[in-house]
Amino acid sequence: MGIVLVNILENIGWTRRIGWLAKPFTKLGRLQDISGASFIVSFGSPSSGNAMLMQLFRDKKIDRKEMYIASLANTFPAALMHWRSMLPVLIPLLGLTGVLYFMTFVFIGFIKTIAVLIVGRFILKDKPEALQAEKQSFTKLKTSDLLKKSVKQSWPLMKRVVFITIPVTVLVFYLIDYGVFEWLSLHIKGVTRIFPIPVEGLSIAAAYFGQTVAAYTMAGNLLAAGAISTKNIILSLLLGQLLSSVISSFRYSAPYYIGIFGTKMGAELLVYSSVLRILFTILMFYVIYFFV
């Protein structure tokens, strides 16, 4: 549905009209306005924003470099959209501490986006569309004709998403059932010796491997008992997020990226996104540890 919606918006010219909203970001990264439109769409649906980029790439309106930069730049809106799943749990369990952790989570996505756009400024060339929205007339279509045209344009990408995402997702569930991710969790936990958090925080980080809600619940109980400070809860949750990111990348992100961008490009984007996320999470961990 997201892919069809994106093509409808493109066919009526709406994506070009909203491109100016992302102007500060597109100007920094030398992205075209149509790529900026995907950034705005990602605030509503990150998967639709990335599907839009893939469609633009297939239509040869953007090249591969720009698609990669724009997709990685969508990290900030994607992180912000996690409020729907995180805040309803974090606020009741952790109160203000939960809000502070969520703001830290979103800020990591923001600095990752800015870093990617700075890279884009050096590797992408200026295009006229990046400086001024392309003026183009669009033929008005009947609603039925518009829908038919959009579905026809969406069909190749929809087939790719369905026929790749479903098998990869099923494979991931088999790996979960066979305990592959539990085995990885046991081996990754040893890394906690590198990160200075109190003993109580280790249980929160370890719980993050099983389920984020379990980690939030444990953190809430420790906070209520006065056994751990707000700062150390945030550090512990960041550590849990960091250590489980390798597993979550395969469990959740692999079907997502490969389904939209195909095996090769999806795997590359998954690696780039995961590595950047890990690096900036480590940076944020030590900034909070030393300066807060």
Side-chain angles (χ1 to χ4, degrees):
M1 289 176 62
I3 295 169
V4 174
L5 176 61
V6 163
N7 276 294
I8 290 174
L9 297 178
E10 175 67 13
N11 286 326
I12 63 177
W14 189 76
T15 57
R16 297 177 187 276
R17 295 188 186 112
I18 66 170
W20 66 271
L21 292 171
K23 183 67 77 173
F25 295 95
T26 56
K27 188 174 181 180
L28 175 61
R30 289 183 174 170
L31 297 172
Q32 297 183 64
D33 290 332
I34 50 177
S35 296
S38 78
F39 184 83
I40 301 301
V41 169
S42 293
F43 281 99
S45 170
S47 57
S48 295
N50 277 317
M52 175 186 292
L53 292 172
M54 186 60 187
Q55 189 70 47
L56 292 170
F57 174 72
R58 288 172 61 86
D59 294 341
K60 297 184 176 10
K61 294 179 180 178
I62 60 175
D63 58 25
R64 181 176 296 199
K65 284 183 180 179
E66 182 165 354
M67 183 181 71
Y68 277 34
I69 294 294
S71 176
L72 293 171
N74 285 346
T75 297
F76 171 55
L80 191 62
M81 289 310 296
H82 275 82
W83 72 268
R84 295 175 294 186
S85 59
M86 293 177 68
L87 288 182
V89 180
L90 283 170
I91 292 176
L93 293 176
L94 289 167
L96 179 60
T97 301
V99 175
L100 292 173
Y101 170 67
F102 176 73
M103 291 171 63
T104 303
F105 175 83
V106 172
F107 185 68
I108 291 171
F110 178 75
I111 59 176
K112 176 183 170 184
T113 291
I114 297 300
V116 167
L117 290 173
I118 291 173
V119 171
R121 187 165 188 83
F122 286 100
I123 69 173
L124 299 178
K125 296 179 179 179
D126 272 323
K127 301 178 183 68
E129 294 87 348
L131 302 176
Q132 183 177 0
E134 179 181 344
K135 294 180 179 179
Q136 183 175 346
S137 60
F138 292 87
T139 304
K140 290 187 177 180
L141 300 172
K142 295 180 180 178
T143 302
S144 58
D145 293 336
L146 176 63
L147 185 60
K148 288 178 183 178
K149 180 181 178 181
S150 300
V151 169
K152 185 178 179 179
Q153 291 173 329
S154 304
W155 185 243
L157 183 56
M158 288 166 62
K159 285 195 297 184
R160 177 196 293 270
V161 170
V162 170
F163 291 125
I164 293 179
T165 301
I166 292 177
V168 172
T169 304
V170 171
L171 174 62
V172 167
F173 277 113
Y174 270 110
L175 294 177
I176 293 172
D177 289 339
Y178 280 110
V180 173
F181 294 111
E182 291 181 7
W183 178 84
L184 286 172
S185 299
L186 291 173
H187 286 75
I188 293 176
K189 285 178 185 176
V191 182
T192 55
R193 289 190 291 268
I194 304 172
F195 298 92
I197 62 171
V199 176
E200 295 82 4
L202 291 177
S203 59
I204 298 174
Y208 213 107
F209 281 95
Q211 194 181 39
T212 55
V213 176
Y216 301 156
T217 302
M218 186 172 294
N221 291 334
L222 290 171
L223 181 65
I228 191 171
S229 66
T230 292
K231 172 182 174 178
N232 283 322
I233 281 182
I234 294 174
L235 290 176
S236 301
L237 290 172
L238 283 177
L239 179 59
Q241 176 192 324
L242 176 65
L243 298 181
S244 64
S245 61
V246 177
I247 295 172
S248 62
S249 292
F250 288 101
R251 185 185 293 181
Y252 304 114
S253 301
Y256 172 78
Y257 277 107
I258 293 174
I260 293 176
F261 296 102
T263 306
K264 185 176 184 297
M265 292 189 297
E268 289 177 351
L269 278 167
L270 172 62
V271 171
Y272 295 151
S273 180
S274 299
V275 169
L276 288 171
R277 184 83 194 173
I278 289 171
L279 289 176
F280 285 115
T281 301
I282 292 173
L283 174 63
M284 184 58 59
F285 180 95
Y286 282 107
V287 167
I288 293 174
Y289 178 77
F290 285 113
F291 300 105
V292 176

